[in-house]
Amino acid sequence: MHPIAVMLAVVLLGNLMLPFASAQNAGFVKSPLSETKLTGDTFELYCEVVGNPTPEIQWWYAEVNRADSFKQLWDGARKRRVSINTAYGTNGVSVLGITRLTLEDSGTYECRASNDPRRNDLRQNPAITWIRAQATISVLQKPKINASDQIVLPLDGPVKSVILHCNLTAAHTAHKDSFWMKNGREIPNTRGEERTRSFRISKPRADDSGEYMCVYTFDKAPNANATIEVKAKPYVTGHKRSENKNEGENAMMYCKSVGYPHPTWTWRKVDGTSYKDIDNSTGRFFITNRDNYTEINILNLDITTDPGIYECNATNVIGNTAETTILRVRSHLAPLWPFLGVLAEIIILVVIIVVYEKRKRPDDIIDDDEPVGPAKTNSTNNHKDKNIRQRNTK
């Protein structure tokens, strides 16, 4: 056989054998973790596998004390409370989620993976063709907490104090301790062991509003909590009173507020007694809102249309408040105005000097051809001549 033909055959054979040489059995990169949850909560289990080819992933479930009777789960099961999201790339990744948990959701959840070509052959033993990773989910009855109803702060009149109450009336086990939180952060010096808890807000203001939560902790179970909303109309606490820019530049104005719930922000331009709403549709105005903060950016300022009064308005279910910012736009020659002013003063001063010099009287001008000092009269000269004649006569 020709040497070139032999070489091509070897290369072709190598290419054909390459997939088999690089084949890799399925293996777990991350496995699902066991958890304890409360009724009404949500859980997610994460599973990531590797292999060549990329393994297929399935989710299975077995009830408590029935580990020998697994049933396959699918997306939308249990009255659409089950969701399964799977993506295949270099690795296979799958997330199993179940919402609005009930006591019947307790059990063993299993992530199965396989890239065996025979994995779906019913004549094969699944225990051989599939690898498995399990997690146990325990669902406990959620403790009962009696809590205060929502409170609206009447900030327009004097309010001495507001008291929030919580009482743990039933729990699966004895609680460890309890504390208060506001907007997701623990309030210092509020931890205690009591089942009945109170929290006092003295002289409440708008920034005292928010989402309060009494939290009860347990040794071997998730925390239980109850939420109390303290509402107040928004108040703008910070904004730019004015903004001075040159035409062609960009301007930024902002407003910050306190109050709960977080407000809906709107920007308007005041035109006399009317208002013009501003949005992001023009391509030059860009508004950014996040909770108690809003910001408007105006690009490439126009000296004719952009100057004026801009109003930010914060509105929630309790009320609204607004503040204004004055935007001034100067000509692009404005940086030269100080120099031009100094130059104008110099020119005026020079003109005044020139005019003054031209208007001088002739008698005020000194003739350079005459000697400096008092002029000698003819009588003096006559005296000199007389003396000279007298000396000659002697």
Side-chain angles (χ1 to χ4, degrees):
M1 183 180 293
H2 196 278
I4 296 180
V6 173
M7 184 174 64
L8 291 174
V10 171
V11 172
L12 180 60
L13 181 60
N15 290 336
L16 292 174
M17 294 298 294
L18 185 60
F20 299 96
S22 60
Q24 178 186 358
N25 293 332
F28 286 103
V29 177
K30 290 185 179 180
S31 302
L33 301 176
S34 299
E35 295 184 74
T36 300
K37 292 290 186 178
L38 301 177
T39 53
D41 289 348
T42 298
F43 78 79
E44 287 187 344
L45 298 179
Y46 185 87
C47 185
E48 182 176 355
V49 295
V50 65
N52 187 21
T54 303
E56 177 187 355
I57 300 176
Q58 296 179 356
W59 287 96
W60 293 69
Y61 163 78
E63 298 177 2
V64 178
N65 300 324
R66 299 191 63 182
D68 57 340
S69 58
F70 276 88
K71 298 178 181 178
Q72 187 174 357
L73 289 171
W74 66 92
D75 188 51
R78 299 182 186 177
K79 298 181 180 180
R80 306 186 71 83
R81 293 189 300 113
V82 174
S83 63
I84 298 177
N85 295 298
T86 305
Y88 294 105
T90 304
N91 293 358
V93 178
S94 185
V95 179
L96 167 69
I98 301 182
T99 61
R100 305 188 304 278
L101 290 174
T102 66
L103 297 176
E104 289 72 25
D105 291 320
S106 297
T108 302
Y109 291 80
E110 189 173 81
C111 175
R112 296 184 181 182
S114 176
N115 58 3
D116 191 318
R118 305 166 298 166
R119 61 184 178 273
N120 294 319
D121 189 342
L122 298 179
R123 294 170 296 179
Q124 299 296 322
N125 183 357
I128 298 176
T129 56
W130 293 82
I131 60 173
R132 308 179 182 195
Q134 295 180 345
T136 300
I137 300 297
S138 300
V139 181
L140 304 177
Q141 183 64 47
K142 187 174 184 178
K144 294 182 179 180
I145 302 174
N146 290 336
S148 304
D149 294 330
Q150 70 174 23
I151 296 174
V152 177
L153 299 180
L155 301 177
D156 296 332
V159 181
K160 293 184 178 180
S161 64
V162 170
I163 301 177
L164 311 181
H165 297 282
C166 275
N167 181 28
L168 179 64
T169 58
H172 39 74
T173 57
H175 76 284
K176 182 179 178 182
D177 63 4
S178 58
F179 57 91
W180 286 91
M181 300 181 70
K182 178 188 176 184
N183 297 333
R185 295 184 178 181
E186 182 177 347
I187 302 175
N189 304 319
T190 60
R191 282 192 177 262
E193 298 179 356
E194 302 87 355
R195 294 175 67 95
T196 301
R197 301 301 310 275
S198 297
F199 183 75
R200 179 186 296 271
I201 305 174
S202 301
K203 297 180 180 179
R205 300 173 299 177
D207 56 354
D208 291 316
S209 62
E211 188 178 78
Y212 288 80
M213 186 181 294
C214 55
V215 182
Y216 293 86
T217 66
F218 300 85
D219 282 327
K220 296 182 179 180
N223 296 345
N225 60 72
T227 299
I228 305 172
E229 291 186 335
V230 178
K231 299 181 178 181
K233 92 173 195 179
Y235 279 85
V236 176
T237 59
H239 70 289
K240 281 189 175 181
R241 296 184 181 276
S242 63
E243 177 80 341
N244 300 317
K245 290 291 183 178
N246 297 325
E247 60 178 326
E249 293 182 342
N250 301 334
M252 189 277 288
M253 296 170 284
Y254 69 89
C255 287
K256 296 186 292 185
S257 74
V258 294
Y260 185 84
H262 297 311
T264 299
W265 290 100
T266 56
W267 283 90
R268 303 185 296 182
K269 186 177 181 183
V270 182
D271 186 10
T273 58
S274 61
Y275 296 88
K276 180 181 179 182
D277 292 334
I278 302 173
D279 54 33
N280 293 338
S281 62
T282 62
R284 287 200 311 115
F285 293 81
F286 294 93
I287 299 173
T288 303
N289 301 325
R290 51 180 191 273
D291 296 343
N292 288 331
Y293 178 84
T294 184
E295 180 180 294
I296 182 171
N297 287 273
I298 308 176
L299 307 182
N300 192 22
L301 288 171
D302 186 281
I303 195 172
T304 304
T305 60
D306 291 335
I309 301 175
Y310 290 79
E311 179 189 88
C312 65
N313 185 290
T315 303
N316 65 13
V317 294
I318 309 301
N320 69 86
T321 185
E323 289 291 349
T324 60
T325 300
I326 299 174
L327 175 61
R328 302 181 181 92
V329 181
R330 301 170 297 184
S331 169
H332 62 276
L333 297 177
L336 298 177
W337 289 348
F339 170 76
L340 295 176
V342 173
L343 182 61
E345 291 179 357
I346 294 174
I347 293 174
I348 292 173
L349 182 59
V350 170
V351 170
I352 292 174
I353 294 173
V354 171
V355 171
Y356 176 77
E357 291 293 335
K358 284 187 176 182
R359 290 189 175 183
K360 274 188 177 182
R361 290 177 300 174
D363 295 342
D364 295 335
I365 301 176
I366 300 175
D367 189 356
D368 292 338
D369 295 337
E370 294 184 359
V372 179
K376 294 183 179 181
T377 62
N378 292 332
S379 61
T380 305
N381 293 334
N382 293 336
H383 286 299
K384 286 183 180 180
D385 294 342
K386 183 178 181 181
N387 292 336
I388 293 173
R389 287 194 297 269
Q390 288 176 355
R391 284 196 299 268
N392 293 334
T393 56
K394 288 180 180 182

